[in-house]
Amino acid sequence: MNKLISIIMTLVLGVVTLVTVPAYAEEKVVRIGFPGATTSRPQSGLGWGYVQAKHLFDEEFKKDGWTIDYNYIAAAGPGVNEGLANNSLDFGFHGDLPVLAARSNGLKIKALGAVRGGTSHLLVPTNSHIKTIKDLKGKRVGVSVGTWTHALLLKVLQDNGMTIKDLKVINTSGTAFETSLATGDIEAGFGSLSLIRRGVAREIWSTVGKHVRYQNTNTFVVREEFLRKHPDIVKRLVKVFVKGFYQASLNKNETLKFNTRTGTALADLIEENAGQSIKYLTSPKLDGQVTKQYKDSLALFKENGLIRRNFDPEAELYDRSYLDAALKELKLENHWPDYDSNGNPIKK
Amino acid sequence: MKIHVFFSRLLGLLIPLFLVASWHYLSVHEVVPTTLLPLPSVLFDTWWDMQKSGELLLNMKMSLLRVGGGFLVGASVGFLLGTVMGVWKPVELYLYPVFNFFRQVPVVAWIPFLLIWLGIGEWFKIVFISCGAIIPMALKTFEGIRGVPTSYLEVVRAFEYGKFRMFRTVILPSALPSILTGLRISLSEAWMLVIGAELVAAGEGIGNVMIIARRLFQTDVVLVGVVVIAVTGFIMDKLLDLLETRFLGWRRIQNVQ
């Protein structure tokens, strides 16, 4: 019996140590996770690119000894979620599906701002007979499950009176997706313009020039525990984030040129972002465009069984106070308009 | 006596019960966040939902079909290989070193190569599972045949049995316990590998359910997958155990006497 008690005690002690040690080993590091599957170089575009290139973070935090750790997560949004869940990340970026799936399953995060403007192309091999989305019925389609393109597929299928059950879904992403498309293991899937440029694939549909609801609208999220412990750091980080986005919002041509540092060609960037104002692309506001898209997505995901618990993002997810404070402090309250669900500026 | 046996069996339940209780405690008090470790009761609800919707059965069917195919091919080839190596000395001399070489390669190490050759389709999974199922079956068959006492063989030689009759009446029955062990290890290997194959690439199957759930941040579904895999493996092993008792019951009775 004594032996049993000592075994139990050892187990309990072990668990307690495991749980408490990370709390003591805390350092002054802000760890951010970017979904890195789509960028060929570990560098960010748009606002975050400016934060990195202009050393805006160091400018703000140097005197307190805080450093920033940029992590590019190959597993994209779902990988960022795991990082936030196991405390290896404090902040992250997500498209609608990963952030809503995480919150729905109880991951304690708050959305502080928006990061807009992701595009994608529905590709088929060059020699494929598939011409329209309706032709996808019964076909093997490569999907990066849990990312925003997964959500995008649901949306375009819904438009065509289909559901994901009409397809054979193969979970694949990155280079595996490209190889499978080339070998014919998959017959279609969302991918980047570079595959068309290389002659591997042909597009049957793309988000370019379409309604904003098809575009990727990321949110910038923080772990609630970090927010509770360091509200001041969060406030200042959001300020840095707004500064970067402000710089990116000044000149579209300059910003697109700057974005080539992520490894995408300028011609591609110009084509992808055609017809969209740089103000819209860089607006960090959680406005009507974001909330409507997320609300519709929640209903769509619930219908498709991707999330099991519905929730009110206004109550459980969005926290605009930090962004509002930063905009006020930088006197940028009127720099970006609020956008409606169609992506049009609302005149005050 | 019987009551004593019953209670000693119950001892095996103590640690699992303790583990579930501590797991429940850790989750309820959020010592470990429920996103990382959902409550045991949540797991049960999730399992029931998956069962009701037919999602679990559909995916289990796919996984079991793959195991069936891979195991059938792998175990048959393994049995033939083990037999020819065991019965004909020259074949053993030619094949055993090669067999031994391949035996040293963990089956998962074949994944990149098989993916290049076969892609991510159904062939990849069947071939991958067979590769794993061949080895234990061939080895145990070979060992079983090698282990037939020479005195038996001398007796049947004295009676001038033909090769085939000798194999059927003496070698095979004598090697059967070892062959059945091979079958059991082979099946359990096939079950492990189907999950491995589906984690790499699949449209359906229980391994795929877990991968999808991980991507959608559904830790409870991932854990349900683990439990279902364990229970299925356990049931399969029990079935083969029954088969063994059916065929080799005589051996047990003999041992008791």
Side-chain angles (χ1 to χ4, degrees):
Chain A
M1 201 58 202
N2 270 336
K3 256 191 184 163
L4 189 68
I5 290 171
S6 60
I7 289 171
I8 293 172
M9 289 305 282
T10 321
L11 279 173
V12 169
L13 201 69
V15 169
V16 169
T17 330
L18 265 175
V19 171
T20 47
V21 159
Y24 289 107
E26 208 164 63
E27 290 170 71
K28 288 180 156 187
V29 185
V30 173
R31 298 160 306 171
I32 300 191
F34 294 91
T38 49
T39 48
S40 46
R41 280 185 219 160
Q43 255 167 352
S44 311
L46 287 171
W48 276 104
Y50 280 95
V51 173
Q52 292 166 347
K54 312 270 178 189
H55 307 289
L56 297 178
F57 182 87
D58 303 322
E59 194 183 292
E60 174 72 33
F61 286 97
K62 210 172 179 180
K63 53 181 187 292
D64 324 82
W66 279 79
T67 53
I68 190 160
D69 186 8
Y70 297 103
N71 299 276
Y72 293 87
I73 314 287
V80 173
N81 277 337
E82 285 171 11
L84 291 165
N86 61 35
N87 286 0
S88 58
L89 295 175
D90 305 312
F91 294 87
F93 283 94
H94 291 106
D96 51 359
L97 180 51
V99 75
L100 294 173
R103 190 65 240 196
S104 160
N105 283 300
L107 184 65
K108 297 209 163 78
I109 47 173
K110 281 275 187 274
L112 303 167
V115 183
R116 292 173 156 89
T119 54
S120 196
H121 306 261
L122 188 48
L123 304 174
V124 296
T126 326
N127 57 5
S128 169
H129 297 299
I130 299 171
K131 288 203 169 57
T132 63
I133 289 163
K134 288 209 165 71
D135 296 340
L136 290 178
K137 204 163 187 125
K139 296 283 192 293
R140 293 185 304 275
V141 178
V143 180
S144 180
V145 172
T147 66
W148 78 277
T149 50
H150 183 188
L152 180 59
L153 184 65
L154 297 180
K155 292 175 199 169
V156 298
L157 288 174
Q158 191 186 37
D159 292 347
N160 286 273
M162 295 157 75
T163 70
I164 202 117
K165 292 213 165 75
D166 294 315
L167 317 175
K168 280 197 74 161
V169 171
I170 312 276
N171 176 31
T172 174
S173 59
T175 38
F177 166 74
E178 294 179 12
T179 325
S180 308
L181 198 65
T183 57
D185 275 324
I186 54 175
E187 295 161 284
F190 276 105
S192 71
L193 202 55
S194 68
L195 282 167
I196 305 174
R197 298 274 194 254
R198 275 188 274 145
V200 180
R202 170 168 70 73
E203 82 171 36
I204 58 167
W205 190 87
S206 105
T207 57
V208 177
K210 300 283 189 326
H211 192 279
V212 283
R213 82 184 192 98
Y214 297 110
Q215 288 174 11
N216 186 15
T217 304
N218 288 288
T219 41
F220 177 44
V221 300
V222 60
R223 220 157 29 88
E224 272 180 23
E225 191 199 358
F226 187 90
L227 185 64
R228 229 178 11 251
K229 274 191 194 159
H230 310 285
D232 52 320
I233 300 293
V234 174
K235 195 179 148 215
R236 288 161 66 196
L237 187 73
V238 171
K239 198 172 88 188
V240 169
F241 159 77
V242 171
K243 273 186 183 173
F245 277 73
Y246 171 72
Q247 296 214 3
S249 75
L250 295 177
N251 183 321
K252 187 172 180 181
N253 287 337
E254 281 300 312
T255 302
L256 292 185
K257 230 179 269 172
F258 180 80
N259 269 2
T260 55
R261 58 192 230 123
T262 61
T264 315
L266 183 61
D268 291 5
L269 286 169
I270 291 173
E271 192 179 322
E272 302 264 27
N273 296 296
Q276 211 123 48
S277 76
I278 194 68
K279 273 272 175 73
Y280 173 80
L281 289 172
T282 55
S283 168
K285 286 187 170 176
L286 292 167
D287 52 22
Q289 189 270 319
V290 180
T291 52
K292 180 70 169 51
Q293 180 174 343
Y294 277 36
K295 198 175 156 230
D296 291 348
S297 294
L298 263 177
L300 185 66
F301 301 158
K302 185 89 205 321
E303 208 178 293
N304 280 277
L306 299 185
I307 58 165
R308 292 164 296 174
R309 182 184 74 97
N310 219 329
F311 65 94
D312 177 16
E314 286 296 342
E316 292 188 42
L317 185 63
Y318 308 135
D319 184 344
R320 297 184 178 84
S321 59
Y322 293 88
L323 182 69
D324 290 346
L327 288 171
K328 202 169 171 199
E329 195 183 329
L330 296 167
K331 299 198 168 44
L332 291 172
E333 295 115 305
N334 298 316
H335 184 68
W336 287 286
D338 280 341
Y339 290 94
D340 67 12
S341 58
N342 295 319
N344 298 319
I346 301 167
K347 290 192 181 76
K348 279 187 183 162
Chain B
M1 190 64 194
K2 279 236 162 128
I3 294 168
H4 179 74
V5 171
F6 180 70
F7 274 108
S8 58
R9 283 247 168 127
L10 279 185
L11 280 181
L13 285 175
L14 266 183
I15 291 183
L17 279 177
F18 171 72
L19 284 176
V20 172
S22 357
W23 168 10
H24 181 82
Y25 177 85
L26 289 176
S27 303
V28 158
H29 296 271
E30 297 230 10
V31 183
V32 178
T34 48
T35 46
L36 293 181
L37 193 66
L39 279 168
S41 56
V42 170
L43 232 63
F44 184 81
D45 292 342
T46 307
W47 170 77
W48 182 239
D49 284 343
M50 289 166 76
Q51 188 69 39
K52 262 195 318 201
S53 68
E55 183 193 354
L56 201 59
L57 281 180
L58 173 81
N59 287 291
M60 277 300 275
K61 198 178 96 189
M62 276 313 290
S63 298
L64 288 173
L65 278 175
R66 284 177 191 135
V67 171
F71 172 67
L72 217 63
V73 175
S76 317
V77 174
F79 176 71
L80 286 176
L81 194 67
T83 308
V84 290
M85 284 198 304
V87 175
W88 285 290
K89 189 76 186 167
V91 178
E92 183 201 336
L93 291 176
Y94 278 114
L95 276 183
Y96 196 72
V98 181
F99 173 71
N100 222 348
F101 172 81
F102 280 105
R103 193 155 74 92
Q104 306 309 322
V105 184
V107 191
V108 282
W110 287 106
I111 289 179
F113 181 74
L114 287 178
L115 281 175
I116 296 172
W117 266 63
L118 303 166
I120 56 173
E122 230 30 66
W123 276 111
F124 156 71
K125 279 154 224 149
I126 303 288
V127 171
F128 177 65
I129 296 164
S130 330
C131 284
I134 289 174
I135 308 284
M137 190 64 200
L139 197 69
K140 282 288 157 194
T141 311
F142 174 70
E143 279 175 9
I145 292 175
R146 265 299 122 92
V148 178
T150 27
S151 53
Y152 291 12
L153 298 177
E154 276 162 13
V155 172
V156 285
R157 272 199 201 106
F159 281 102
E160 295 185 338
Y161 272 28
K163 278 237 169 198
F164 180 71
R165 199 172 165 203
M166 182 158 98
F167 179 75
R168 199 174 52 86
T169 54
V170 180
I171 298 179
L172 195 61
S174 167
L176 202 56
S178 182
I179 292 173
L180 281 178
T181 308
L183 215 58
R184 257 170 99 167
I185 304 175
S186 182
L187 182 64
S188 107
E189 184 79 17
W191 180 237
M192 310 248 161
L193 291 178
V194 73
I195 305 299
E198 288 171 355
L199 290 180
V200 175
E204 289 130 346
I206 197 75
N208 188 57
V209 168
M210 291 164 73
I211 282 290
I212 302 278
R214 182 186 160 200
R215 305 275 303 176
L216 294 172
F217 205 69
Q218 299 171 344
T219 320
D220 50 339
V221 177
V222 175
L223 277 173
V224 167
V226 173
V227 176
V228 167
I229 289 168
V231 172
T232 312
F234 187 77
I235 292 171
M236 279 188 187
D237 195 60
K238 269 278 168 242
L239 285 177
L240 275 189
D241 189 35
L242 285 176
L243 193 79
E244 200 175 325
T245 320
R246 168 84 180 71
F247 279 106
L248 295 173
W250 53 269
R251 204 166 55 114
R252 290 199 183 163
I253 293 161
Q254 203 179 36
N255 286 349
V256 170
Q257 282 168 348

